[in-house]
Amino acid sequence: NLSDDLQEHISALVGAATLSTIATATLAHASNAINKRWAPPTLLEEGDTSSPLSVEGLAPFWMRLDGAETVPNTFDIDGLVLLTGPNMAGKSTVLRSIAALALLAQCGLHVPAVSARVPRLDSLIVRMASTDSPVEGLSSFAVEMLEIKSMLSSCTAKSLVMVDELGRGTEASHGTAIGGAVVEALDECGARGIFATHLHGILDLPLRTSPWTRRARMETARATDGSTRPTWRMVPGECRESLALQTALDCGLPTAI
C-alpha cells in the first residue's frame, strides 16, 4: 500500500535523494579540503588555449608526505613538457597528481595545491603503463599503440595529455622513433601535457616542435646516508641517468647480479 501511495511521488523522491547525495559529498569534500588547506582553483576563460596550466604548491594528496622533506611542485604548462628523470623519482606520481588536480578543477572542486589556474578542457587523456591482452591476441606494445591511436584521434588544443613510458614494450630504437614522432604530433595539435620517458635518445632527435614544447627533469635530493630520494618536483632541464642499478640494489637484487 505504501508503494502504491508513493508512485506519484517517485520523481520527487529520486530528485531529493540525488540532491542529498550530492550535498553530502560536496560538504565532505569542502570540509576535508579546508582542513588540508586545499585551494579553490581559477578556471580560465572558455576557448583560452594559450594561457598555461599554472600551479603552485602541488603535492600528491594520496601519499603521506613529510612536509619538512618534500618539496611542493610549482610549475606552468603552456604546451608539451618532455619529462625525464631517474627511476623512482616520481614521474608517474606527478602525472597522476596533475591529472587529479585538473579533473577536480573541471568539477568546480578544491584542488590539492596552494593555488591553480586551470584551462577548461574538452578531454583529459592519461596513458600510463599497460600490459598485454591475451584474450584479444594483443601484446603489451600493441595495446600501447592502440591507446596512442585513440589519444591522437581525440586530442585537441583544449586537451590535457599525460603520457608515461611510451615505447617500453619494444626495442629501444623503434620505441625512441615512435616516441619522438608522438611528441611532434602532440605539439602540432597544440595540446598541453607531459610526455615522461626513459628513452633518452628522444632528447637527441631533431624534433620539429614549437617553442611551447620544452624539457624538464625530476629533481632529486641526496639523503644523509648517501642515497638519492625524490622530491616530486619538476625543474627545467633534462636527465640522462636512470639510476637503474641503484634502484635494483635498493629493491634487494643481489650485488653479484
Side-chain angles (χ1 to χ4, degrees):
N1 290 338
L2 178 61
S3 178
D4 287 340
D5 292 341
L6 292 176
Q7 284 302 311
E8 61 180 299
H9 306 293
I10 288 296
S11 295
L13 289 170
V14 170
T18 302
L19 178 60
S20 175
T21 302
I22 294 172
T24 301
T26 303
L27 177 61
H29 170 80
S31 299
N32 282 278
I34 291 171
N35 288 336
K36 295 183 177 183
R37 298 183 179 178
W38 290 14
T42 299
L43 279 173
L44 302 179
E45 293 293 329
E46 185 72 39
D48 186 345
T49 58
S50 59
S51 297
L53 167 65
S54 182
V55 179
E56 178 185 356
L58 171 66
F61 64 87
W62 59 88
M63 300 176 67
R64 292 185 178 275
L65 303 175
D66 185 343
E69 295 183 358
T70 303
V71 180
N73 220 335
T74 298
F75 54 84
D76 290 341
I77 299 178
D78 48 8
L80 194 65
V81 177
L82 186 54
L83 180 63
T84 50
N87 286 293
M88 303 296 289
K91 293 189 298 299
S92 300
T93 299
V94 166
L95 265 63
R96 289 187 178 97
S97 59
I98 295 173
L101 176 141
L103 183 58
L104 288 167
Q106 302 306 303
C107 299
L109 301 175
H110 288 64
V111 297
V114 174
S115 66
R117 290 175 54 83
V118 184
R120 298 175 188 267
L121 306 175
D122 62 4
S123 59
L124 172 60
I125 306 171
V126 181
R127 204 231 66 96
M128 308 300 285
S130 56
T131 59
D132 61 353
S133 180
V135 173
E136 299 175 286
L138 299 173
S139 67
S140 59
F141 181 66
V143 172
E144 273 189 295
M145 294 300 99
L146 287 172
E147 291 174 347
I148 293 299
K149 171 191 172 185
S150 175
M151 177 189 74
L152 293 176
S153 66
S154 59
C155 182
T156 73
K158 296 174 64 177
S159 301
L160 184 65
V161 180
M162 300 288 158
V163 182
D164 192 23
E165 299 296 346
L166 175 65
R168 68 194 302 172
T170 190
E171 51 90 15
S173 61
H174 288 177
T176 298
I178 292 173
V182 169
V183 168
E184 290 182 334
L186 292 174
D187 175 84
E188 184 177 0
C189 82
R192 304 175 182 89
I194 299 178
F195 187 99
T197 184
H198 278 296
L199 295 172
H200 299 149
I202 293 178
L203 301 174
D204 297 322
L205 294 176
L207 297 177
R208 298 185 297 271
T209 56
S210 69
W212 305 118
T213 290
R214 55 191 176 83
R215 298 180 181 186
R217 62 178 178 84
M218 294 303 301
E219 182 185 63
T220 56
R222 186 71 64 180
T224 54
D225 61 359
S227 62
T228 299
R229 64 170 182 81
T231 65
W232 289 278
R233 190 172 90 163
M234 290 190 299
V235 295
E238 60 185 42
C239 174
R240 295 175 181 264
E241 174 53 72
S242 291
L243 298 181
L245 300 183
Q246 178 182 318
T247 303
L249 288 172
D250 293 342
C251 291
L253 200 68
T255 304
I257 299 297

